Amino acid sequence: MLSSLHVALGILNLALTAQAAYTAQLLYQFPNYLQWIENLAVRQNGNVLITTFDHAHIYELDPNSGNAPRLVAALPDADAAAGITEISPDVFAVEAGYLNRTTYHLDGTGRIDTLDFTCLDQGLPRVKTIAYLPEAQLPNGMSALPLNSHIVLSADSITGLIYRTNTRTGKVDVAINDTRLAPHPNPDPFLSLLGVNGLKTYNDYLYVTSSSSQFLGRYRIDAFGNPLSALEIMVQYETPRSPDDFGVARNGSVFGAIPLDSVSKVAPGNGAYEVTYLVDENEKFQRPTAAILSRDEKTVYVSTGGRNQEGEEGGQIFAVRQQ
């Protein structure tokens, strides 16, 4: 299959913020319009893991090789792979299930698998199902807890609930139930279906985005993901911008995928948050879905879903770097 894929490389000149200039390199674009990229993670070796709605395939891309990504897992009994997070060095948890392409529900098929790159079989990670999420309608963003990385939080975009899963025992419960994370009316009918979307933990905080309410916010949490504060709205995006998944840098800056065609940076300021755009309404970015930082935080990897039209190409991976 990979032999039929092609590599598209290029440097794009992007709009500049007042503070810094950024360039973006297209590392790869899948050839088939059905190959939607949903989420990203970075391995210990710096390679990027890519989850897709293409038969629940997970790929690994060496961003410095110029080669096409290799298929490292085809999750069984699923056609969509969504959120992914590292739970121990080179071991990742990933959400999967059968996606109803009309309702965007998993219809009771949701689960969490692990990909263990420390235990290889013919060069591929061992895949194991460790928990089931039958009540979750659309598990989306996912993140491990900083002090208990075997416990992961999952954002259910349809119900607005934040589920908590112990990957050692398989126990699942609800960590946060806040109506502000549920879907709300939006001029875009598709966005109206989706509440909480992206989700990341950093230090004592859980960061979240909402598609329909168009905000980036955060909760203060304890070591087990229980909320210790009300939701703080950090940024309210204006239509048509609606935040998707994102990465959090060690200095607290948030780098986010902003459909339809932007990438934002939200930095702590003097009593407020400063928003700038690394990529600002650049049509070459075909519906950004996720952003994540490289291990050294010098690069932001950004995925897109592609055009999603017959005859067009699929999802993309960009490397965005400050000049």
Side-chain angles (χ1 to χ4, degrees), residues 16-20 22 207 216 218 232-237 251-256 258 263-278:
L16 307 182
T17 69
Q19 291 76 20
Y22 291 85
Y207 293 79
L216 167 69
R218 67 179 186 173
E232 173 194 359
I233 303 298
M234 301 167 61
V235 177
Q236 183 69 57
Y237 290 91
N251 67 2
S253 296
V254 179
F255 295 83
I258 310 295
V263 180
S264 70
K265 176 183 178 182
V266 178
N270 295 324
Y273 296 97
E274 180 183 11
V275 182
T276 55
Y277 287 90
L278 285 61

Short mmCIF file of all heavy atoms in Angstrom, two decimals, residues 16-20 22 207 216 218 232-237 251-256 258 263-278:
data_model
loop_
_atom_site.label_atom_id
_atom_site.label_comp_id
_atom_site.label_asym_id
_atom_site.label_seq_id
_atom_site.Cartn_x
_atom_site.Cartn_y
_atom_site.Cartn_z
N LEU A 16 3.06 36.49 8.12
CA LEU A 16 3.93 36.68 9.26
C LEU A 16 3.17 37.38 10.38
O LEU A 16 2.39 38.29 10.16
CB LEU A 16 5.14 37.53 8.86
CG LEU A 16 5.92 37.04 7.63
CD1 LEU A 16 7.11 37.97 7.39
CD2 LEU A 16 6.37 35.62 7.82
N THR A 17 3.44 36.96 11.62
CA THR A 17 2.92 37.70 12.76
C THR A 17 3.83 38.89 13.01
O THR A 17 4.93 38.98 12.48
CB THR A 17 2.89 36.81 14.01
OG1 THR A 17 4.25 36.55 14.40
CG2 THR A 17 2.18 35.50 13.75
N ALA A 18 3.37 39.79 13.84
CA ALA A 18 4.18 40.96 14.15
C ALA A 18 5.40 40.57 14.98
O ALA A 18 6.39 41.28 15.00
CB ALA A 18 3.32 41.98 14.91
N GLN A 19 5.32 39.44 15.69
CA GLN A 19 6.38 39.06 16.60
C GLN A 19 7.45 38.19 15.94
O GLN A 19 8.62 38.27 16.26
CB GLN A 19 5.80 38.29 17.80
CG GLN A 19 4.95 39.15 18.73
CD GLN A 19 3.58 39.43 18.16
OE1 GLN A 19 3.12 38.73 17.27
NE2 GLN A 19 2.94 40.46 18.65
N ALA A 20 7.07 37.31 15.05
CA ALA A 20 8.03 36.35 14.50
C ALA A 20 7.53 35.87 13.15
O ALA A 20 6.35 35.92 12.83
CB ALA A 20 8.19 35.16 15.45
N TYR A 22 7.35 32.65 10.43
CA TYR A 22 7.32 31.20 10.43
C TYR A 22 7.32 30.69 8.99
O TYR A 22 6.79 31.34 8.09
CB TYR A 22 6.08 30.68 11.16
CG TYR A 22 6.10 30.92 12.64
CD1 TYR A 22 5.68 32.13 13.16
CD2 TYR A 22 6.57 29.94 13.52
CE1 TYR A 22 5.70 32.36 14.53
CE2 TYR A 22 6.60 30.16 14.87
CZ TYR A 22 6.16 31.38 15.37
OH TYR A 22 6.20 31.60 16.73
N TYR A 207 -6.39 21.42 29.58
CA TYR A 207 -6.77 22.37 28.54
C TYR A 207 -7.77 21.69 27.61
O TYR A 207 -7.63 20.51 27.27
CB TYR A 207 -5.54 22.81 27.75
CG TYR A 207 -4.55 23.63 28.53
CD1 TYR A 207 -3.66 23.03 29.41
CD2 TYR A 207 -4.50 25.02 28.38
CE1 TYR A 207 -2.74 23.79 30.13
CE2 TYR A 207 -3.59 25.78 29.10
CZ TYR A 207 -2.71 25.16 29.97
OH TYR A 207 -1.80 25.91 30.68
N LEU A 216 -10.95 28.15 23.60
CA LEU A 216 -9.89 27.42 24.28
C LEU A 216 -10.01 27.77 25.75
O LEU A 216 -10.09 28.95 26.12
CB LEU A 216 -8.51 27.83 23.76
CG LEU A 216 -7.30 27.38 24.59
CD1 LEU A 216 -7.10 25.87 24.52
CD2 LEU A 216 -6.03 28.11 24.14
N ARG A 218 -9.43 26.09 30.15
CA ARG A 218 -8.71 25.14 30.99
C ARG A 218 -9.35 25.04 32.37
O ARG A 218 -10.04 25.95 32.84
CB ARG A 218 -7.24 25.54 31.12
CG ARG A 218 -6.98 26.83 31.89
CD ARG A 218 -5.48 27.12 31.98
NE ARG A 218 -5.21 28.27 32.85
CZ ARG A 218 -4.00 28.67 33.22
NH1 ARG A 218 -2.93 28.00 32.79
NH2 ARG A 218 -3.84 29.72 34.00
N GLU A 232 -12.00 28.06 32.92
CA GLU A 232 -11.49 29.38 32.56
C GLU A 232 -11.42 29.49 31.04
O GLU A 232 -10.73 28.70 30.40
CB GLU A 232 -10.09 29.60 33.15
CG GLU A 232 -9.41 30.88 32.69
CD GLU A 232 -7.92 30.92 32.99
OE1 GLU A 232 -7.39 29.96 33.57
OE2 GLU A 232 -7.28 31.92 32.60
N ILE A 233 -12.14 30.43 30.47
CA ILE A 233 -12.07 30.66 29.03
C ILE A 233 -10.85 31.52 28.74
O ILE A 233 -10.77 32.67 29.16
CB ILE A 233 -13.35 31.34 28.50
CG1 ILE A 233 -14.59 30.51 28.86
CG2 ILE A 233 -13.23 31.55 26.98
CD1 ILE A 233 -14.61 29.13 28.26
N MET A 234 -9.90 30.96 28.01
CA MET A 234 -8.66 31.66 27.69
C MET A 234 -8.79 32.49 26.43
O MET A 234 -8.33 33.63 26.37
CB MET A 234 -7.53 30.65 27.54
CG MET A 234 -7.27 29.81 28.78
SD MET A 234 -6.19 28.39 28.44
CE MET A 234 -4.69 29.20 27.87
N VAL A 235 -9.42 31.91 25.41
CA VAL A 235 -9.59 32.59 24.12
C VAL A 235 -10.96 32.24 23.56
O VAL A 235 -11.37 31.08 23.57
CB VAL A 235 -8.52 32.16 23.10
CG1 VAL A 235 -8.76 32.82 21.75
CG2 VAL A 235 -7.12 32.48 23.61
N GLN A 236 -11.66 33.26 23.08
CA GLN A 236 -12.91 33.06 22.36
C GLN A 236 -12.64 33.38 20.89
O GLN A 236 -12.37 34.54 20.55
CB GLN A 236 -14.01 33.95 22.91
CG GLN A 236 -15.37 33.75 22.25
CD GLN A 236 -15.98 32.40 22.60
OE1 GLN A 236 -16.16 32.07 23.77
NE2 GLN A 236 -16.29 31.61 21.57
N TYR A 237 -12.68 32.37 20.03
CA TYR A 237 -12.41 32.59 18.62
C TYR A 237 -13.66 33.12 17.91
O TYR A 237 -14.79 32.81 18.30
CB TYR A 237 -11.94 31.30 17.96
CG TYR A 237 -10.57 30.86 18.40
CD1 TYR A 237 -10.40 30.00 19.48
CD2 TYR A 237 -9.43 31.31 17.73
CE1 TYR A 237 -9.13 29.60 19.88
CE2 TYR A 237 -8.16 30.92 18.12
CZ TYR A 237 -8.02 30.06 19.20
OH TYR A 237 -6.78 29.67 19.61
N ASN A 251 6.53 26.28 28.32
CA ASN A 251 6.33 27.61 28.89
C ASN A 251 4.86 27.99 29.00
O ASN A 251 4.53 29.14 29.36
CB ASN A 251 7.09 28.66 28.08
CG ASN A 251 6.52 28.84 26.67
OD1 ASN A 251 5.54 28.22 26.29
ND2 ASN A 251 7.15 29.71 25.88
N GLY A 252 3.96 27.05 28.68
CA GLY A 252 2.53 27.30 28.80
C GLY A 252 1.86 27.82 27.56
O GLY A 252 0.63 28.01 27.54
N SER A 253 2.61 28.07 26.49
CA SER A 253 2.00 28.50 25.23
C SER A 253 1.25 27.33 24.58
O SER A 253 1.70 26.19 24.65
CB SER A 253 3.06 29.03 24.26
OG SER A 253 3.68 30.19 24.77
N VAL A 254 0.13 27.64 23.96
CA VAL A 254 -0.71 26.63 23.32
C VAL A 254 -0.68 26.84 21.81
O VAL A 254 -1.00 27.94 21.33
CB VAL A 254 -2.16 26.70 23.84
CG1 VAL A 254 -3.03 25.66 23.14
CG2 VAL A 254 -2.20 26.49 25.36
N PHE A 255 -0.28 25.82 21.07
CA PHE A 255 -0.23 25.87 19.61
C PHE A 255 -1.38 25.02 19.08
O PHE A 255 -1.43 23.81 19.33
CB PHE A 255 1.11 25.34 19.10
CG PHE A 255 2.29 26.20 19.50
CD1 PHE A 255 2.87 26.07 20.75
CD2 PHE A 255 2.78 27.16 18.62
CE1 PHE A 255 3.96 26.87 21.12
CE2 PHE A 255 3.86 27.95 18.98
CZ PHE A 255 4.44 27.81 20.23
N GLY A 256 -2.30 25.67 18.35
CA GLY A 256 -3.53 24.98 17.98
C GLY A 256 -3.83 24.94 16.50
O GLY A 256 -3.50 25.88 15.75
N ILE A 258 -6.48 25.39 13.79
CA ILE A 258 -7.68 26.21 13.73
C ILE A 258 -8.30 26.11 12.34
O ILE A 258 -7.84 26.77 11.38
CB ILE A 258 -7.37 27.70 14.04
CG1 ILE A 258 -6.55 27.84 15.31
CG2 ILE A 258 -8.67 28.49 14.14
CD1 ILE A 258 -7.24 27.41 16.57
N VAL A 263 -3.23 28.24 12.02
CA VAL A 263 -2.57 27.67 13.18
C VAL A 263 -2.29 28.81 14.14
O VAL A 263 -1.67 29.81 13.75
CB VAL A 263 -1.25 26.96 12.80
CG1 VAL A 263 -0.58 26.37 14.05
CG2 VAL A 263 -1.50 25.87 11.76
N SER A 264 -2.73 28.68 15.38
CA SER A 264 -2.60 29.79 16.32
C SER A 264 -1.61 29.47 17.43
O SER A 264 -1.29 28.31 17.71
CB SER A 264 -3.96 30.13 16.95
OG SER A 264 -4.37 29.10 17.83
N LYS A 265 -1.12 30.53 18.05
CA LYS A 265 -0.31 30.43 19.27
C LYS A 265 -0.96 31.31 20.32
O LYS A 265 -1.20 32.50 20.10
CB LYS A 265 1.12 30.90 19.01
CG LYS A 265 2.00 30.91 20.27
CD LYS A 265 3.39 31.46 19.98
CE LYS A 265 4.25 31.52 21.23
NZ LYS A 265 5.60 32.09 20.95
N VAL A 266 -1.26 30.71 21.47
CA VAL A 266 -1.85 31.44 22.59
C VAL A 266 -0.82 31.45 23.71
O VAL A 266 -0.45 30.40 24.24
CB VAL A 266 -3.16 30.79 23.07
CG1 VAL A 266 -3.73 31.55 24.27
CG2 VAL A 266 -4.17 30.75 21.93
N ALA A 267 -0.33 32.64 24.07
CA ALA A 267 0.74 32.77 25.05
C ALA A 267 0.25 33.53 26.27
O ALA A 267 -0.50 34.51 26.13
CB ALA A 267 1.95 33.47 24.44
N PRO A 268 0.67 33.12 27.47
CA PRO A 268 0.31 33.89 28.67
C PRO A 268 0.88 35.29 28.59
O PRO A 268 2.01 35.51 28.13
CB PRO A 268 0.98 33.09 29.80
CG PRO A 268 1.23 31.73 29.24
CD PRO A 268 1.47 31.92 27.78
N GLY A 269 0.09 36.28 29.01
CA GLY A 269 0.53 37.66 29.00
C GLY A 269 0.32 38.29 30.36
O GLY A 269 0.19 37.60 31.37
N ASN A 270 0.29 39.61 30.38
CA ASN A 270 0.07 40.34 31.63
C ASN A 270 -1.42 40.41 31.94
O ASN A 270 -2.10 41.36 31.54
CB ASN A 270 0.67 41.75 31.53
CG ASN A 270 2.18 41.71 31.38
OD1 ASN A 270 2.84 40.86 31.97
ND2 ASN A 270 2.72 42.62 30.58
N GLY A 271 -1.92 39.38 32.60
CA GLY A 271 -3.33 39.35 32.96
C GLY A 271 -4.24 38.94 31.83
O GLY A 271 -5.46 38.94 31.99
N ALA A 272 -3.68 38.60 30.67
CA ALA A 272 -4.50 38.19 29.53
C ALA A 272 -3.68 37.22 28.70
O ALA A 272 -2.52 36.93 29.00
CB ALA A 272 -4.91 39.40 28.70
N TYR A 273 -4.29 36.70 27.64
CA TYR A 273 -3.60 35.78 26.74
C TYR A 273 -3.43 36.44 25.39
O TYR A 273 -4.37 37.05 24.87
CB TYR A 273 -4.39 34.48 26.61
CG TYR A 273 -4.49 33.70 27.90
CD1 TYR A 273 -5.62 33.83 28.71
CD2 TYR A 273 -3.46 32.88 28.33
CE1 TYR A 273 -5.71 33.13 29.91
CE2 TYR A 273 -3.54 32.18 29.52
CZ TYR A 273 -4.67 32.32 30.31
OH TYR A 273 -4.75 31.63 31.50
N GLU A 274 -2.24 36.34 24.85
CA GLU A 274 -1.93 36.94 23.57
C GLU A 274 -2.09 35.91 22.46
O GLU A 274 -1.49 34.83 22.54
CB GLU A 274 -0.50 37.48 23.57
CG GLU A 274 -0.09 38.13 22.26
CD GLU A 274 1.36 38.58 22.28
OE1 GLU A 274 2.09 38.20 23.21
OE2 GLU A 274 1.76 39.28 21.33
N VAL A 275 -2.88 36.21 21.45
CA VAL A 275 -3.13 35.29 20.35
C VAL A 275 -2.45 35.81 19.09
O VAL A 275 -2.66 36.96 18.68
CB VAL A 275 -4.64 35.13 20.07
CG1 VAL A 275 -4.86 34.12 18.95
CG2 VAL A 275 -5.37 34.70 21.33
N THR A 276 -1.60 34.98 18.50
CA THR A 276 -1.00 35.28 17.21
C THR A 276 -1.21 34.08 16.31
O THR A 276 -1.59 32.99 16.77
CB THR A 276 0.51 35.58 17.33
OG1 THR A 276 1.16 34.48 17.99
CG2 THR A 276 0.75 36.85 18.13
N TYR A 277 -0.96 34.28 15.01
CA TYR A 277 -1.19 33.20 14.05
C TYR A 277 0.11 32.87 13.32
O TYR A 277 0.68 33.71 12.64
CB TYR A 277 -2.30 33.57 13.07
CG TYR A 277 -3.65 33.52 13.72
CD1 TYR A 277 -4.19 34.65 14.33
CD2 TYR A 277 -4.36 32.33 13.80
CE1 TYR A 277 -5.40 34.60 14.99
CE2 TYR A 277 -5.59 32.28 14.44
CZ TYR A 277 -6.10 33.41 15.04
OH TYR A 277 -7.30 33.35 15.69
N LEU A 278 0.56 31.64 13.52
CA LEU A 278 1.71 31.14 12.77
C LEU A 278 1.33 30.96 11.31
O LEU A 278 2.14 31.17 10.41
CB LEU A 278 2.19 29.81 13.34
CG LEU A 278 2.96 29.81 14.65
CD1 LEU A 278 2.15 30.36 15.81
CD2 LEU A 278 3.44 28.40 14.98
#
